[in-house]
Amino acid sequence: MRQPFKPRQSRKHIGGYRPRIDGLEKASGRALYADDVAIKANFPDLLYAKVLRSPHAHARIKRLDTARAEALPGVKAVLTYADPEVAALAPTSAGWTDGVDTVSFRRMMWRRFCDRRVLSDYVCWVGDEAGVVVAAETEAIAEEALRRLDVEWEVLPFVLDPAEAMMPGAPAVHPEIAPNNVLPADPVGGNDVYLSKGDFDRALAEAEVTAEATCAYHNANQSTLENWCCLAKWEEDRLFIWSNSYEADQTRMFVSQTLGLPLHKVRVVCNFVGGQFGRNDTGDQPLFIFTALLAKKAGRPVKFKHTRREAFHDSRQPAVYTARAGARKDGTITALGFKALGNAGAYADHTMFALKFAPAEAAEMAFAHIPNLKMEAYGVYTNKLPACMMRGVGNSQLNLSLGHIVDVLAEKLGMDPIDLAVKNFGHAWEILPDQSLSAVLREGARRIGWEQRHAPGTGPLREGVKKRGKGFSFHPGWHAEWQELRRGRIQVAMRLNPDGTVMLDAPTVETGPGSNTCNVLGCAEALGFLGITPAEIRWTSVVDTDKGLKDTVQTDSAVSFLQSEAMVDAAAELKKKVLEAAAAVLKAGPDDLDIEAGRIFPKAAPEQGVPFREVLWQGDLVPIAVTISRPPSGEKTGVPFLAAFAEVEVDVSTGKVVVEKLVILNDCGTVMYASGAEAQQLGGQVAGLGETLFEEIIYDQATGVPLNFNWIDYQVPTMADMPDIEPVLMEVWRGAGEYGACGIGESVLTCTPRAVLNAIYNAIGARIDDIPVKPEKVLKALAGNGR
Amino acid sequence: MVRIKINGRWRELDRDKDLAPAMTLSYLLKEVLGLTGIKVSCDEGACGACTVIMDGKAVLSCMMLALQADGHEITTIEGLAKDDPVVEAFAAQSEPGYGTALQCGYCTPGFVMTAKALLAENPVPTLGEVKEALSGNICRCGCYAAIAQAVLRTSEKVRAGGCR
């Protein structure tokens, strides 16, 4: 038994350790995912779709002949870019929305970057969806049909490196949008220098101590276990889509707007989803459109599913960051600047969200007390896999740089980097030192044994070849309630059955973080006046756009509290209605009654209570229903902080790095569900440490062909690779509302790579500036350092 | 005719009508027979999501041809008892410091079947033995610590005679 987290305020259900509500359904294999529904056993006339993938990094289809494919027995439909229903589709962007909000085509987020076409004859990376999709009786026949296509390609010159792509004469990937491949300024991300405060250059020139540090974050893949899957079926003029999108309402809006169907003619159902991590953080997925058009052409239901190789269709936004800082000798930072160069890959998607929007948000949350700031970023098209979101938008990339410059500057100042951080960083709504930041750093220091840390590279040699070191990093959180206003109204409905059980409609596609469990705990907590238990609440899990309420989209486990906050209002209304119903039965005035812990009683005589179930059972037996639609609270409360502390052991003879211990600290505001929150803290490290030590997409530089789109060569950590991890939940900061919580699902891994890199530096006294930290990089760094 | 005993029942399958020479066991079980507890994620033997038990051993059903199961006994997650102790331990795992043994749940049936085979062969495994046995399965949600706990808890329970 490990030490449990102790809540700031003891509540009956919220904040507890308990099993997930879907534990048994999932552990027994009964939980249904899209791929389990879209099978022949359920749809006997099901067809399977396969899309042509570009074999070239940059090319155009000059001539296409589908005759041999269409003649293959079992092929039922072939759809190409030349078909009028495809050719009529407007160019679009995969970054319509980042998922949380539902927006129309005209209000899409990145309207200047409409660089995608559904089934285009123009392709920009090896693996790009090219202009043909086929539907056949089996997957094997569909694959064979693709092999029988006669395609004549016009192969174009390509570029993989963003710095090369910026050079004059480099091949332009989307010349109409970015003639020199650099994504232009836009209304959401802003200018190249997207944030400027005071006079950074002058402050840096005048600073008593300065530091500069460059580091590189690569493009890891989200690697969800479940691959994209979509079933499209026409019921006369109505389109039914069952998919593992995590945003049913936005998918409905996207399909409706793209195909010109009214919203009530599109029904989207999303059940359990086998992992998200940013892989479907885009409001625009061409696969829905071509599957739907193909189903219409074939006159039969069609299933399209990615193979694991195809699931490498998206990655974390890679970025090379250079940070510069200036400070007074006492450790007061007077100037701080970041410059990022990001490889957008073949399509813009959310590149500028990662490179500009998220860092600007972090600056507001953490750099508010630094007088001179300059932040600039360049997103550059290349012919690589497009980059987008992965458990966070651009936070991990910025953190790799932030934790770097703090460590380097602290060493130059001769200061403990924890003291430097606490002295300078915090948000505008609090005076320094920031209580949340101080708390996570002090607690992390205690747990890792920071006091015993030695100077870089000076620790004892173990077993003749091994050296140990400690490091940390910190970051401001995000997804506090006030940052979620963009979502619009949050909708929940509760129906109280006459026997006292509850049907809870808190629509959200459960992708793993356990928001469904949080919803049930929030409901039980809010309905405390009924004295009901979570077991008496039925969470209706399948999100079906025909049912009426909009789904609250799961990002960063923010749904863990957003719907629960709305449930507080729903419960207040339900209480009123229960008292009205009871008044009718008891022949009393509703204002004369009250209810507590499941007992209804006259206010004048609290001792004369009766169980509410008995009262309702005497009524009309019609469930008491309430529906609430309310926006998140806009009250600005800042955000809490998070940190990671790592201890590593480096074998200086082989370059192998072993993470011995990892402490993950999150100030949550309020912990909604302790077992689930700790599962996030522990679980996030599989991606966090994977990106730091193992995972990397490798390309053949001569052809642009990605070489390891599989889990044998792209190494996701297994149980044997993971160190001992201490999850630390804290409640120091507090947001608005009943709970004042904050999502942590993305942020749990934000600080991990930098904490490990700083620990490696502390161990060996040589810096490694890019991840993943492969042994050869360690050996090179050691050689460069003359050790 | 191909005969495979699936979840305790012999099934007769027509070599030409029901099976194709290249059909994998995972395809037969999931797509043809509708045993959807099997998840096919990588389809190339790297993730363990499609693990089933054949003659008492955990096997990757995506790496076997359906024809290779001829004459053998296959157990899928659907074939486990309603109160299977491993399933119950995975569902219940929530003690402080370890998180939950599942999040999105997609890899879970594969982990459960691998753990079943491990405990059948080694009813009292050490943490190291659990890690070794389960390191062929990927959980991207990262529930490894809790999964190991769930397996150790099952072992304790079985040892205490609390269940089968």
Side-chain angles (χ1 to χ4, degrees), chain A residues 1-5 17-20 22-33 35-42 46 48 137-139 220-227 272-275 277 303 305-309 390-391 510-513 673-676 678-680 682-684 686-687 690-691 695 709-712 714 716-720 722-723 725 727, chain B residues 20 22 27 29-50 63 76-84 86-113 127-149 151 153:
Chain A
M1 187 79 166
R2 295 191 182 177
Q3 208 52 30
F5 134 86
Y17 288 93
R18 51 154 287 149
R20 291 174 60 106
D22 53 11
L24 206 54
E25 202 176 348
K26 286 177 171 173
S28 63
R30 292 198 310 272
L32 290 177
Y33 301 78
D35 188 35
D36 304 330
V37 174
I39 57 172
K40 279 227 162 153
N42 293 334
L46 187 65
Y48 297 85
E137 296 285 359
T138 67
E139 283 180 307
N221 176 254
Q222 297 89 351
S223 284
T224 58
L225 263 279
E226 191 188 20
N227 304 327
F272 289 115
V273 170
F277 315 136
K303 173 185 185 175
K305 184 189 162 190
H306 274 174
T307 61
R308 176 38 30 208
R309 188 186 195 289
M390 175 169 164
R391 261 188 129 153
E510 173 52 34
T511 60
Y673 166 37
S675 308
E678 288 185 352
Q680 293 294 306
L682 294 163
V686 168
E691 289 180 86
E695 299 176 28
F709 278 5
N710 63 72
W711 281 333
I712 294 162
Y714 182 94
V716 173
T718 70
M719 194 179 274
M722 295 302 290
I725 303 165
Chain B
Y27 191 92
L29 295 171
K30 178 160 191 163
E31 298 281 335
V32 182
L33 302 176
L35 296 166
T36 55
I38 292 170
K39 308 299 172 204
V40 179
S41 180
C42 74
D43 208 16
E44 55 193 2
C47 76
C50 68
M63 295 299 281
T76 72
I77 192 143
E78 287 87 353
L80 301 186
K82 238 184 146 64
D83 60 347
D84 183 87
V86 178
V87 170
E88 286 187 345
F90 270 68
Q93 184 62 41
S94 55
E95 70 195 90
Y98 297 92
T100 53
L102 56 90
Q103 289 182 41
C104 83
Y106 208 73
C107 69
T108 313
F111 268 101
V112 167
M113 298 313 282
L127 178 60
E129 287 167 342
V130 171
K131 282 189 176 186
E132 193 185 340
L134 269 55
S135 65
N137 295 61
I138 290 175
C139 172
R140 187 57 154 176
C141 298
C143 300
Y144 295 136
I147 291 169
Q149 266 318 87
V151 176
R153 290 274 180 267

Side-chain angles (χ1 to χ4, degrees), chain A residues 529 570-580 594-596:
Chain A
F529 60 89
E573 206 176 311
L574 188 75
K575 183 174 178 178
K576 233 172 75 191
K577 290 194 173 185
V578 169
L579 291 177
E580 281 166 14
D594 205 350
I595 178 166
E596 254 175 48

Side-chain angles (χ1 to χ4, degrees), chain A residues 443-578:
Chain A
E443 182 62 18
R446 188 180 73 76
R447 292 191 183 232
I448 204 80
W450 189 253
E451 290 304 315
Q452 289 88 53
R453 196 176 84 126
H454 50 71
T458 63
L461 208 56
R462 295 157 173 256
E463 298 167 42
V465 287
K466 292 174 181 172
K467 300 189 94 173
R468 286 199 174 198
K470 292 170 186 173
F472 79 97
S473 196
F474 68 97
H475 208 77
W478 57 98
H479 288 306
E481 199 178 358
W482 63 275
Q483 293 170 310
E484 299 297 306
L485 281 175
R486 211 155 42 84
R487 290 175 182 263
R489 287 162 294 149
I490 305 292
Q491 298 192 311
V492 294
M494 291 175 183
R495 256 186 311 151
L496 176 63
N497 293 320
D499 65 353
T501 58
V502 176
M503 310 304 284
L504 172 64
D505 188 13
T508 181
V509 178
E510 173 52 34
T511 60
S515 294
N516 50 1
T517 304
C518 294
N519 282 336
V520 167
L521 299 182
C523 183
E525 194 74 46
L527 296 180
F529 60 89
L530 294 175
I532 61 165
T533 62
E536 291 168 302
I537 299 166
R538 166 76 185 150
W539 184 76
T540 50
S541 63
V542 178
V543 176
D544 179 344
T545 57
D546 267 13
K547 274 170 57 178
L549 297 187
K550 181 192 154 13
D551 57 333
T552 300
V553 180
Q554 184 59 265
T555 58
D556 192 19
S557 68
V559 180
S560 64
F561 68 92
L562 284 172
Q563 288 176 320
S564 288
E565 292 286 0
M567 279 181 225
V568 173
D569 287 8
E573 206 176 311
L574 188 75
K575 183 174 178 178
K576 233 172 75 191
K577 290 194 173 185
V578 169

